[in-house]
Every structure is written in C-alpha cells, then in structure tokens.
Amino acid sequence: MKGRTASRADTQDTIAAIITPPGEGGIAAVRVAGSKSRSVLARHFSAKHSDDAEPHPFLMRLGYFKSLDGEILDEVMAVFMPEGRSYTGLEQIEIFCHGGRQVVKKILDEILKGDIRAAEPGEFTRLAFENGRIDLSRAEAVAEIIAAETEVSYRASREHLLGNYSEHIDMLRTELIGVLSEVEASIDFTEDAPEVGADSRKLLILVDSLVTKLSALAETYRGGRIISEGYTIVIGGRPNAGKSSLFNLLLRKERALVTPTPGTTRDYLLERIDLDGYTVNLIDTAGLRQGGGKIEREGQRLAKGMIAKADLVIWVVDLSKQNWAKLLTLDIESLGSAHILLLGNKIDIVKKAASLSLSASQKIIGASCKTGIGLSKLHREIVGRIEKSMPDLTSGLVVTSARHRQKLKESIRHLRLARTKIEGSVSPELVAYDLRTAVSSLGEITGKVYTEQVLGRIFSRFCIGK
Amino acid sequence: MKTEDKQGMKTHTADFDIVVIGGGHAGVEAALAAVRMGRRAAIVTMDPQKLALMSCNPAIGGIGKSQLVKEVDALGGLMGVATDGTGIQFRRLNLSRGPAVWSTRAQADRIGYNAFVVEYVAKQKNLEVIDGVAGEILVDSGRAIGVRLEDGRSVSARAVVVASGTFLGGLIHIGEKHFPAGRIGEQAAYQLSESFRALGFEISRLKTGTPPRLDGRTIDWSVCEIQPGDEPIPFFSSRSRRGSFTQTPCHLTATSEKTREIIDANKHRSPIFSGQITSRGPRYCPSIEDKFHRFADKPKHHIFLEPEGNGTDEVYPNGFSTALPEEVQREAIRTVIGLEGVTVTRPGYAVEYDYCPSHQIKPSLETRRIQGLFFAGQINGTSGYEEAAAQGIMAGINAALYCVNEPAFILDRSEAYIGVMIDDLITRSITEPYRMFTSRAEYRLALREDNARDRLNHHARRLGLISDAESDLFLKLDSDTRVTVALLAKTRVKVADLNRLSSQLKKRDSLTLAELIRQPDLELNELLPVLVRHTDGQRDGMESLERAAIQIRYQGYIDKQQREIDRYKKLEHDRIPSDFVFQSVHGLKTEAREKLSRFRPVSVGQAGRIEGVTPSDMAVLSVYLKRHRETARADK
C-alpha cells in the first residue's frame, strides 16, 4: 500500500546544464544526465555522416544540433555514455559546440523544452558521488566542490549584477505568500473567524499582477539575448511591395536586387547593422503569395519561419493596390501574434496620406522608398520598439540562468492554473495547491525553504481566534 | 534481580512497564496504547476523578485537529469514541473548501466525557491509576526507572511518559493576582519541574488562557444567532455505536462598543500588558484584551456561546479568554449582546507553565538526554486536546516498544498529521504554543479525514493497537469502496435528469457519474445526494460512496502528490546516525553547524527543514554521510 520505497528510476529526473565555465571560450559543452539523455540526441542531433547515425558509447560524432523546429543551431560534437560508465553514473550525453556562449545557451534552452530539468548547482558532482563514481577518499574534496558550486550559484543569484536580483525574487515570493495566505486563511480559520474568506475578485487581481511581474522578469532572459546577439528585424510582405528597396535603404547600400518583377527575392538576405547604437540583424525575405516556382515556395517557407522568430516584423504594404486593406487584414490574421510594424509603401503614388489605419490599434506608417517620405518616422519607431524590449539594465534585473528561467516559468504556469481555478470557483484547497507549488518554485531560485511565513502573514492580517 | 517474562526479555523487576505522569488527554491515550500492546501501565494523577478533563473549551475536533482525532482513532485511541459517546452537537466544517479539509467538530459534554474516560480506564486490565503528585524522575545510568511522588512513595517502571500539561510549574494570573496552580483550584507540580532542571533539561515558559464561565440561565438567548448541529450526525469513529439523538445548539453573539471601552480603560491591569507575564501566548487564540489592542480598527468581536454539557447550565463564552481582574471581567462580559444580566460562575485566567523546548526529543518522543523517558503534550510546547492525544498515543506506543527493545514507531509528514506535528516540533524552535493547522501539511490533499484508516490501519494492526476484527472491518470498507469506484465509472446518467446541475454541463446528453464527479466547479458535498439517488445507495453504503467519490475527484492530484512524496522520501531515507558529529563536517556554514548540532535531525530531509540550513549544506551533509556509512561498513 502506501509508503513504498522510492526507487532511483522514479525519482531521478533527467537534468541538463552547461558545464564549461562562463565567459567566451573556444568550445562550450552541455551535459545531460538521466534516463532520458539518449532521447535528447534522437530529438536534436543529426549526424553529418550516415554511418554515424546511431550513438555508440564513448564515440564522438560530428553533426548538427537542431532546434525542435528543425533549425540548425550549430555544428557540434556529441558523445553518449551508458548508465554506470559516465561521470554521474547515469545514462549521459555531452554536446560540444563552437558557437560561443549564446549558442550554447540556446542549445540548453532547446533541451530544456523536453521533459528535462535544469540541473541544480553541484548536482552532477553529487550524483557522481552518490553513484560511487568518485572515490570515498575524495569525499572531503567533493563536499568542498559541491559547497563551492552551490555557493557560487546562490551567491550569483544573491548578488546578481547590481545586487538586487535576489531581493527582487524574494519580494515577489513574499507577495505570492501574501496571496497564498489569503487562501489558506479561508481554509484554516473559517471556524474561528467566519468573516475570513478569500474575495476571488481581489485574488484574481493579485495573481494577475504577479503573473505580469514574473513574466516581465522571465522575459529579461530574452532581453539578455538581444544585448549579446542583436535585435532581429524581418522585412515581410506580399511580392513586389518594396521590401528589398526598404532593406537597401536601411542598409544604406544596394545589397538586394530590386526589379519590378514580383518574386525577385527568393532566398533571404541577412545583414548586421548599427541603428542608433543598437545591433540589429536585418533580414529581407521572399514575398508571401500563392503559387510561384519551387524555389520561390521554399523561400516563402523560410520567410515564415523567420517571421515567427523575429523580435520585430516590418510588414510592407503596397498602397497602390486597390484592395490593399483587404489583403492586409488577411495577412495580419495569418501572421498571428508576431510583433508587427505596418509600413504603407508607395504613398507618393496614391498621394492621400490621411486616415492610414486599419483600426485604432493598427496604425500604418505611410512612406515611400522611392522619395524617402516617412522613413525618418519609421526609423524613430524602430528604435522605440528596440528600447522597449531591452531589459532595464539599471535595475540589474536580468535573468541569465536557464535554471532560474525554468523556475520562473514553473511558477507562472502554476499561477495561471490557480487563476483558472479561482475563476471557475474550484475549491480553495486546489487553488492553494497551485499557489504553494508556485511559491516553492520561486524559493528554489534563491535556496529558500518553506517556513512559517504563511501562518505569520495570516496572524498579522486577520484577527484569528475565538 | 533479573527475571525473564513471556516475551523473553531480560529485565529488572519493576512495578510497571510504563508509568505515565498526568491523566489528561495525552496521558490517558499513552497509558491505553501501552496496555493494548500488552504492557502493564500506571497513570499518576493528582485526582483520579479528573481524567481527560477539558481544562478549556468543551469541544473536540475542528479544522486540522479533527484529522488528528481520526488518526488517533485509526491507531485504536479513545478520543474519537469518547467524543462520539458523549458529545452533544456534531458539525462538519469547511464543506465548500474541498474534501481534503472537511473537518468534524463536536461540542463535548465536559462532565460526560470525563466520566466516560474514568469508567473506561477503570475497566482496563493491567492499568492502574495512582492518586499522587509526581515529584521526581528516577534515573539510573542514563535510563528512566520510575517516579518518586511528592509524598515519598516510589513507582518503578521501565519507561516513563511525562504528560504534565499546564501543571508543570503552573502559575495562574488574574489581574494583578498570581498564584501557583495547574488549573484554577488545583495545585501545580513544582518539584517535578526542578527534577527536569536537575537532569539538565533546558526549560522555558509558555502562556495560555481561558475565558470566564457563565450561568446559562442568566443569558438572553433570544438575541443570539443559533448554530445547530448537522444531520446526519457526523461521528468521529467507526467503532462508535451511538444512534441519532437530539443535538444541543450553540449560539453566536458579539461584543458591543461598550465592551471595547471597558477593555481599553482597564488594559493596563491585564498581566499580559502590565509586564507581569513575559512568556508568549498563542497568536491564534488571543485574549479579548489582546484582540482589541492588536486589531484596534475592528469594532466588535464574535463570541460563541458553547454549552458545557447537557447536565449543567454552565456556558463557555468562546472568544472571551481574559486575564483581567475579576471585577473587570464581570463588567466587560455584561456588555456582550445577550449577556447583560449574566452571572459569572468562574473567572477567566491566564496560566504560565514550563515546557522543554522540543529539540530535546527524538521523533519517537523519547528524550535525547534520558533513555526511556518520553514527553507528550504541553511539555513539548503544544496546545490543544487533539495535539496532546496524538502525542500521547505515539509516546505510549513507543514506550511500549522501548520496553521490548523494538524499533520506534515513527510516522512521516506524508503519512499523517501526527507526523507533520512531531517533525515540526523537532525541527523548529517553538515560540508560541503549537496548534495544528491544515496549512502546516505540505501533502494536505493526501492527508484527509476520510482516508485516515487507509493510511494507518496496517500500522495499527501490526502493533496490536486494534483487533483483527476491527482491521477486517476496514478492509471490507476498502473493498466496498473499490466496487463503488467501478460502479461510478460505468453508471451513465442523462444530463436532463440532473435538474439544477445540468445548466453547467452544456453540450452533452449524458455522462458517467465518475465524469460528473470530476467536474471541478461542482462541489462534492452537493453532488453526494445525486450520487445516492443514481446508485440506489442505502445509508450503509454512504461511507464507501463518499470515499469513492473523493478518490475519483482527486486521482490526478493524488498521483502528482505521490510523485512529490516519492522525492521527499528519498531525502528522508538519507539517514543521519545518532552518533554523527556535525561539528566535524567541513564545508557546512557556521549557522548550519550550530543548528544541526542543536536539533540533531535524523535524516538529510529533516535537516533541510531546519531554518538556516541551505541546499548546499544538505549536499555537503549527504556526501559526508555516505563516507560515514561506507567507513562503518568497512569496519565491520
């Protein structure tokens, strides 16, 4: 019945982390340990040579690391180690890549999208020791390594950048405990204080505010990427709308071939430019339309992928077309929720700058790539968008650790679950379940364990006791 | 002289196997558990007629506490049966909060309960009640060997359980007056307190309080809100055989503006504010003067008028605990709505008492300092009859096991509220009397009233705490529940037949009862009548039907929680030997080293729950433990 002993297989998650020291180096490595390690290779690794298709123990293979969408992130070397013969003693893989810090982080992020947890600091070494992979005589040294690794990690989160990262997390956690204690009070003290009852409207406001704050923090992970990798702008639109003309204008050189024939750009073009001090990856894509040749269709498929991942899409509209508004409405729908900036090109031909908008929220910047009208306005708008998506560096609140982001996301996920339950009038014990999980996820970032805080909050807020 | 008894153990002849100091809720359960397990036990008490007396409010159960009562009951304890046998009103609380926190609460008959227990104890073979005041724990080479009474008599035993309640160094305060007493009109145990100091125990003080008692004949009931009991009557124990009866209602009233004026004007005369009492009282059970002080913006406070029993007119004004001078109490209580002409039969008071901070006990409740000496109840810093009974039964079981050199019986946080409580006690510094709340249990969804026996029946049977017949009765219920689960999964109902509920089940014509149960926005207690109707359920099948419905409803959560429990157990199984020297572990931070040496956790998981111990300390600790184990193995 109850109380069966937990076997290793039940309780040992598959874990992953970057194992090379931070900073730019020639090679960076990711380690994955646990029973699902091998499936990571199956999902993400494709060998360069067909005779290398299957992993063999300790055989280094050359190949590509692909994202779940199939995009190649880097050329990598990968090695597989069976259970009992790896550093940790568990089934394990290691992936070595060349692309520097950002690429290795991206690789780790992709791996963590599977059912794989970010390793806790010192966890690989502890597993190695627990599984007898490290000699007992070295126990003391191991303890020191673990202590150092965890200390460094927790201190890093405590003293993150300008020093208030951990305070910020603690503050959010305290706020979350406040929400939880409202719900807990409505369970534990209905008898003592009948007036205690969680007001669901108030709870929803508190939960929403927390979700917003936590999401903003988790989003800084993306901001950190923008700083190091640049801000990606994709120019998209229907064929012959003037995308390549705009591309050339922004580059200030004739890079893309411009002709009056629709479908001239069939591949995509990427250039790195400096825009008011920000590094921008500018991408020109093939126009999206029905039909076209095989090569053009392939170009369109690529374009769609680029658009989905862009930080900003400049969607170019040909205002000289009679039915532009109707087409645009269709296009916006099919683009989904990407960050879009609408540019109405060829305004010099139509000469009616007034009321260029689809709706109140979707303004169109009128411009002409031929005459240069409206381009400075576009420039200002782009810079404004970049600034908005940059993390606030003065506060020092940037999430750089994949582990922290995973915990933040877990916390957000459970807050959202709690929200749905509050809205659906589900019993408070189940709301509390999700809120508790959200609290402990946050606690795991700074190493805080569950304390008496909830009861403390209840007693200070409510007059409890008959 | 050495003798050999039936179980084949070598032992010195002793008057008893176990002597229990104190005949309250902890002491009685301890002695009864030991007797059930075949030991000879004695209870030393100042007044054999006052066994299991309710010193404070006449009620058993409530949120968090009822789960403890059900667990004590599942372990063969008396509290549930005694409450069922004599209670005057039963209610089920938290019905809209979800089945895991559904809680039973009974209004007890103070005199009836006490009489029931006195009679029950008198019928036990191998259990003696000794009229006397314990004065000293007798110790030989680090082992408890009995008790010396204040009148000079000695009682020898192989194990001693201390359940001394507020009597240990008890000091009562009423206004400016204070005098030694355990309860009002009863002496305190001061010599015993000295005995603990002499043995080297760290002793500290806590405070609690009680309201004045009232003459019900002088209350204007017409202005109070009536609180009736629930039907069908929710009894605690499956072993109770009591049928339906006419329940006695409670009443609800409130303080008035005038109450606040009187309390504010006299606050300085309360020992809590005058500085006469320095020890901490419970935040969840503040005195009325404390409530007006701390929540100054609250114009009035609820007062629950609870009858003390059917054979008495005395009424307990729950919510009016006070240590103000008697004349102020009298004046203030008469400003409560409906109490304008009330007669006070006994004054309220505050009581300070000694306790031994609970890092000094092991998870078995045995003290670290003296072998065979067990602590239960307020001596460990807890408060409440249910908390006391739960520790009492565990101390009794473990004292009984100790006598025959069997390993201790320990429940963990995932198995029982009892486990949560004892683990809290040994990993935390208690700063106020400890009371159970459901929020203390991290596996709350798995620790419910309805499954207390699922969790504990096998333990109770193995330890001999319940008869095989009782155990089989539960196994029958368990298999009935499984049959009912299957029935609910295959019984289809038409949505049109569900009347009021149907509006929430749009877009379908019919569904199984199991699917209906899983609708998250339908409250289970409201669904139960529907289930009864569609399964031809008879009264007898109610319990299995309710259990089945809860199981279906929570299956997803229970599976998730089980995975969390598995992870938790992994750390709990990383055991720390009792002779482990924390001071020698390099890499631990100083704070962690000090805390670990003080609390002496038995596992790495437990170490992690001690404040100031970080995840990196836990990792370092587990590395050292592994070396410690391997070295020990190599030495063998």
Side-chain angles (χ1 to χ4, degrees), chain A residues 184 186 188 191 421 429 466, chain B residues 97 105 319 444 554 557:
Chain A
E184 294 285 0
S186 79
D188 266 336
E191 188 195 349
K421 287 176 184 164
E429 53 167 10
K466 283 179 175 175
Chain B
R97 304 298 199 251
R105 182 190 189 275
R444 177 164 63 194
Y554 284 93
Y557 288 94

Side-chain angles (χ1 to χ4, degrees), chain A residues 191 466, chain B residues 54 56-62 82-91 104-110 113 227-229 233-234 236 242 245 247-251 304-310 314-318 385:
Chain A
E191 188 195 349
K466 283 179 175 175
Chain B
M54 294 185 196
C56 200
N57 66 323
I60 298 285
T83 308
D84 288 348
T86 59
I88 58 175
Q89 187 211 60
F90 290 78
R91 284 165 63 206
T104 310
R105 182 190 189 275
Q107 200 59 45
D109 186 312
R110 218 164 76 92
Y113 189 96
Q227 289 190 312
I233 299 175
F236 277 103
R242 188 175 180 190
F245 64 94
Q247 302 195 66
T248 308
C250 292
H251 289 81
F304 298 81
L305 299 174
E306 303 178 352
E308 293 241 345
N310 281 340
E314 240 179 9
V315 168
Y316 179 96
N318 204 341
Y385 313 136

Side-chain angles (χ1 to χ4, degrees), chain B residues 11-86:
Chain B
T11 153
H12 294 281
T13 330
D15 300 336
F16 297 95
D17 293 319
I18 291 145
V19 61
V20 179
I21 299 174
H25 303 277
V28 166
E29 295 289 358
L32 289 173
V35 169
R36 279 182 206 113
M37 288 170 71
R39 310 291 175 272
R40 288 173 307 126
I43 298 173
V44 174
T45 172
M46 291 177 181
D47 187 344
Q49 290 313 307
K50 287 189 174 160
L51 292 180
L53 203 64
M54 294 185 196
S55 317
C56 200
N57 66 323
I60 298 285
I63 299 158
K65 289 164 169 271
S66 71
Q67 283 82 349
L68 285 173
V69 178
K70 295 260 179 178
E71 288 171 5
V72 167
D73 184 63
L75 292 172
L78 184 62
M79 181 168 260
V81 174
T83 308
D84 288 348
T86 59

